[in-house]
């Protein structure tokens, strides 16, 4: 697991105990899916990508990586719906790093926090882009 897997991020202040526990479980769901390293992400950087139904259950299943909106949609879907074995297959390290400054605004707060906590290079890409 990434380096801070032992130290989950604190829950926001003002949450009831049950809500904080739910948030911690939700965060853990995404943390468990993370690769050990971004170097494991060896998915395609070009072409057409077909997602299986367990990820693309509510919309598009085919994404053309030459089209920026489809590329962002693919990455957003995989980050939210992909399982641990899906991430290396469908995400590409270099493409994720390139897309992250914008992509981080399209994913949920929990997904963004889990990925940036585990991989500081994502957060630093955001600061560099700003």
């Amino acid at each position: 697991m990434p380096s801070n897997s032992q130290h989950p991020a604190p829950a926001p202040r003002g949450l009831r105990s049950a809500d904080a526990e739910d948030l911690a479980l939700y965060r853990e769901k995404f943390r468990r899916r993370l690769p050990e390293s971004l170097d494991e992400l060896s998915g395609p950087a070009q072409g057409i990508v077909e997602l299986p139904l367990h990820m693309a259950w509510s919309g598009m299943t085919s994404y053309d990586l030459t089209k920026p909106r489809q590329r962002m949609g693919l990455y957003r879907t995989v980050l939210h719906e992909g399982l641990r074995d899906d991430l290396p297959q469908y995400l590409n390290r270099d493409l994720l790093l390139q897309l992250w400054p914008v992509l981080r605004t399209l994913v949920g707060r929990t997904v963004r926090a889990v990925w940036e906590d585990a991989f500081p290079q994502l957060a630093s890409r955001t600061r560099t882009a700003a």
Side-chain angles (χ1 to χ4, degrees), residues 46-105:
Q46 56 188 340
I48 306 292
V49 176
E50 300 283 339
L51 290 182
L53 287 178
H54 74 270
M55 279 192 286
W57 52 268
S58 68
M60 290 178 55
T61 58
S62 181
Y63 296 83
D64 183 346
L65 292 178
T66 64
K67 297 181 178 180
R69 289 179 70 121
Q70 288 190 29
R71 192 169 49 235
M72 285 289 187
L74 169 74
Y75 272 64
R76 183 179 182 279
T77 299
V78 173
L79 289 171
H80 277 274
E81 306 296 336
L83 303 175
R84 185 176 179 89
D85 291 341
D86 295 322
L87 301 178
Q89 183 178 351
Y90 293 101
L91 299 179
N92 177 281
R93 176 197 176 277
D94 294 337
L95 198 48
L96 178 65
L97 288 168
Q98 175 190 336
L99 297 175
W100 192 255
V102 174
L103 183 61
R104 71 181 303 277
T105 68

Side-chain angles (χ1 to χ4, degrees), residues 9-25:
R13 290 183 184 181
L15 282 183
R16 292 185 342 218
S17 176
D19 292 337
E21 187 175 326
D22 287 348
L23 181 60
L25 288 171

